[in-house]
Amino acid sequence: MKSTIKTLKELFDDLFSLFFPNLCLGCGQPLIRGEETICMLCHFHLPKTYFHNDPDNVLNRVFWGRVNIEAVAAFVFFQKGSTVQHLLHQLKYRNKPEIGFRIGKWYGQELIYSDLFRDVELVIPVPLHPNKQRKRGYNQSRMFAEGLVSVMQADLEDRCLYRKVDSKTQTRKARYSRWENVENIFAVRNPEKIRGKHILLVDDVITTGATLEACARALLGVPGVRVSIATIAYASY
Ligand SMILES: [Zn+2]
């Protein structure tokens, strides 16, 4: 019976979405059933990097000679004026945490088939300063991490790595001062929880890698830890 006749809930959902359609946060078109947050067409057109299948990708080189990272990957390329920029802007400034979760789920489904990432045991988001998190209501990197662990055989760990002091907004600073700014602001508590683990450190965007490098240094101070990195986007400027 159930396969041929719509349940009351499905009927109600259809009626509801006729008047109040859920819109794709990428293109603004109504979502169809089975789509969440971002439509299939937007997903299809995302400029994916496929870095997780390439151990010599350009992002690995960002950390050469700086800190020992196992593997580095980003889901998509960041381009100005693109759907990716639009999605990231809403994730950070327009109270749309579900974008981080949705993308994390998509990327997790790719990472579980990657030789470089499939043995990750813990996923750790770059921590926001508590003041910023209070203002935004959530940590966008943690939302990405939640999406990842919903499909990967790994646990979310968001308490061990923490931010010691507030750093001024970094957007307009030169690379050198940016590095000075973040060098010593992360630390690890309860190190026994991460000892000996392969950790996937995650953030929304990677540019110079300064923040991720500072986090990785703090994590690598714990014996036996290996660190890999995954971000939503790679901005190459
Ligand atoms: Zn769309």
Side-chain angles (χ1 to χ4, degrees), residues 113-134:
Y113 296 105
S114 159
D115 290 340
L116 302 168
F117 291 90
R118 77 167 104 231
D119 71 335
V120 160
E121 297 162 279
L122 290 178
V123 178
I124 297 187
V126 169
L128 272 187
H129 189 277
N131 292 342
K132 211 174 212 178
Q133 177 145 346
R134 214 168 295 130

Side-chain angles (χ1 to χ4, degrees), residues 24 26-27 39 42:
C24 168
C27 65
C39 77
C42 280

Side-chain angles (χ1 to χ4, degrees), residues 24-29 31 38-43:
C24 168
L25 295 178
C27 65
Q29 293 299 308
L31 293 171
I38 304 165
C39 77
M40 282 190 291
L41 208 60
C42 280
H43 181 203

